[in-house]
């Protein structure tokens, strides 16, 4: 009897050890957060995010609620609850001949717009302007309120072109609004950050797959992405701030960049890595697991490129 008891005890201990080993291995699995920006910018971008969402993978979608096509984005995202939705706080309009202005209205926030009522095209132009923090707060509040009013579950905010975090005063304002609305802030959870935006079209897919295949055990990683389906509307968009997004003779390449990033995200090569090389999570997961009280501004200060 005593021998049988010892065998049972040993078996239970072995099972416990195996369970602990499996749990330890799982805890060391890297986590990867895909943050897809500029959603709602136009129809081509929305169709790109729809294609990605239909794969079923979880990701975070930063929506520009100041842009004309945000309502279509809302309809798409309501059909895909695995996608965490954020407000892509927007204070710039950078595309030639395709611009947008404030949700609050040009007369409500006059220091944020040009003579035509549009946002300024670059960070530099904004910082050199006579912008008022009160106007910034009014506009960003209007964007968050519009987002919440759609009925989507809003999880986080992050700044388009880094504008809303570009100075200590702007950063403090953004942090205050995130706290007021109980929202996370992108890159405030200790994420290792990588942007695919400045990578050439020719090397994007390889660099992305190399990154996904070599994540450090136990690490938390975020990749900033921009997707769109190539189309006549996307093909003609000229980024007024970037030489990378245009050829030397001024022809736009943003459409190629965004189609390439979409292709690599929906590729079988990438999708089969999920739950093997890493676990895909969203900002909704981070906020739920850690709470916004855990957020901390990154040092050195995070500045998003796009």
């Amino acid at each position: 009897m005593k021998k049988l008891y010892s065998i049972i005890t040993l078996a239970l201990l072995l099972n416990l050890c195996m369970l602990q080993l499996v749990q330890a291995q799982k805890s060391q699995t890297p986590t990867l957060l895909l943050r897809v920006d500029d959603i709602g910018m136009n129809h081509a971008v929305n169709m790109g995010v729809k294609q990605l969402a239909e794969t079923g993978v979880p990701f975070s979608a930063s929506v520009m609620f100041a842009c004309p096509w945000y309502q279509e984005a809302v309809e798409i995202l309501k059909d895909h609850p695995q996608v965490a939705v954020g407000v892509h706080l927007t204070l710039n309009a950078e595309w030639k001949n395709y611009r947008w202005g404030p949700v609050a209205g040009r007369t409500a926030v006059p220091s944020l717009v040009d003579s035509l009522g549009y946002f300024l095209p670059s960070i530099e132009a904004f910082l050199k302007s006579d912008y008022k923090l009160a106007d910034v707060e009014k506009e960003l509040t209007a964007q968050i309120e519009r987002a919440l009013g759609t009925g989507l579950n809003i999880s986080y905010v992050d700044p388009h072109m880094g504008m809303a975090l570009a100075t200590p005063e702007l950063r403090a304002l953004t942090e205050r609004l995130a706290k007021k609305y109980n929202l996370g802030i992108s890159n405030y959870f200790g994420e290792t950050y990588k942007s695919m935006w400045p990578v050439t079209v020719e090397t994007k897919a390889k660099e992305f797959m190399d990154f996904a295949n070599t994540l450090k055990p136990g690490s938390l990683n975020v990749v900033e992405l921009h997707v769109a389906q190539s189309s006549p509307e996307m093909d003609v968009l000229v980024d007024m701030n970037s030489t990378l997004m245009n050829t030397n003779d001024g022809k736009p390449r943003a459409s190629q960049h965004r189609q390439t990033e979409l292709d690599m995200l929906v590729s079988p090569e990438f999708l089969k890595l999920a739950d093997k090389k890493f676990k895909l999570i969203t900002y909704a997961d981070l906020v739920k697991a850690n709470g916004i009280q855990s957020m901390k501004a990154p040092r050195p200060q995070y500045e998003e490129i796009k």
Side-chain angles (χ1 to χ4, degrees):
M1 188 71 179
K2 189 178 288 187
K3 185 176 181 181
L4 177 62
Y5 177 78
S6 298
I7 292 172
I8 293 172
T9 302
L10 180 60
L12 289 172
L13 287 172
L14 286 172
N15 284 336
L16 179 61
C17 288
M18 287 299 295
L19 179 62
Q20 289 174 337
L21 178 61
V22 170
Q23 289 175 337
Q25 289 174 335
K26 284 185 177 180
S27 69
Q28 288 301 299
T29 302
T31 49
L32 177 61
L33 193 155
L34 306 173
R35 199 194 77 212
V36 183
D37 291 355
D38 293 0
I39 311 308
M41 187 185 100
N42 62 13
H43 180 65
V45 168
N46 289 345
M47 290 300 97
V49 83
K50 183 175 185 288
Q51 183 179 343
L52 176 58
E54 287 174 346
T55 66
V57 299
F59 63 95
S60 299
S62 300
V63 180
M64 300 174 77
F65 287 94
C67 290
W69 283 87
Y70 86 89
Q71 294 175 80
E72 181 186 57
V74 169
E75 292 178 359
I76 293 167
L77 295 170
K78 282 184 176 179
D79 289 335
H80 299 283
Q82 89 277 11
V83 182
V85 183
V87 183
H88 206 35
L89 299 173
T90 304
L91 295 168
N92 301 95
E94 71 276 22
W95 302 97
K96 184 179 180 181
N97 299 327
Y98 178 52
R99 316 240 343 253
W100 44 78
V103 172
R106 60 187 292 184
T107 58
V109 289
S111 71
L112 306 185
V113 299
D114 62 15
S115 60
L116 298 176
Y118 296 120
F119 287 135
L120 300 175
S122 68
I123 294 173
E124 293 75 18
F126 184 95
L127 293 178
K128 289 177 181 179
S129 71
D130 188 26
Y131 71 91
K132 304 292 190 297
L133 279 175
D135 284 355
V136 174
E137 181 167 8
K138 186 181 296 185
E139 173 56 21
L140 297 186
T141 297
Q143 292 181 22
I144 294 172
E145 293 280 1
R146 172 177 278 184
L148 295 171
T150 65
L152 288 169
N153 184 19
I154 306 300
S155 303
Y156 70 100
V157 298
D158 75 285
H160 180 54
M161 297 171 58
M163 193 70 258
L165 294 176
T167 70
E169 294 78 15
L170 290 168
R171 185 168 69 248
L173 171 56
T174 297
E175 291 169 355
R176 186 167 71 250
L177 287 174
K179 183 177 181 180
K180 176 182 176 180
Y181 290 98
N182 198 38
L183 300 173
I185 303 176
S186 175
N187 215 54
Y188 268 55
F189 293 91
E191 310 96 308
T192 296
Y193 170 75
K194 180 174 181 59
S195 174
M196 296 307 303
W197 187 85
V199 183
T200 65
V201 169
E202 294 75 18
T203 60
K204 268 186 199 293
K206 183 180 185 305
E207 185 167 324
F208 177 68
M209 291 300 293
D210 287 347
F211 179 77
N213 271 297
T214 57
L215 298 176
K216 294 180 180 179
S219 61
L220 170 60
N221 308 273
V222 59
V223 180
E224 174 209 356
L225 299 138
H226 300 80
V227 301
Q229 292 182 350
S230 291
S231 67
E233 66 165 344
M234 194 71 225
D235 293 344
V236 297
L237 288 183
V238 174
D239 189 326
M240 293 188 285
N241 299 320
S242 171
T243 54
L244 181 68
M245 291 295 136
N246 307 304
T247 63
N248 291 335
D249 57 355
K251 294 180 180 178
R253 295 200 75 193
S255 183
Q256 293 174 269
H257 278 268
R258 295 181 184 228
Q259 180 70 66
T260 299
E261 294 190 20
L262 175 60
D263 289 344
M264 70 193 189
L265 289 173
V266 300
S267 69
E269 291 77 16
F270 173 70
L271 294 176
K272 72 181 181 182
L273 294 180
D275 294 326
K276 293 180 181 178
K277 287 283 187 176
F278 49 78
K279 178 178 175 58
L280 286 172
I281 63 169
T282 69
Y283 274 113
D285 298 325
L286 283 183
V287 171
K288 183 178 181 180
N290 300 290
I292 65 167
Q293 69 279 357
S294 69
M295 293 193 305
K296 184 178 180 182
R299 298 291 185 268
Q301 181 186 338
Y302 164 63
E303 290 187 0
E304 181 185 327
I305 298 176
K306 257 300 182 201

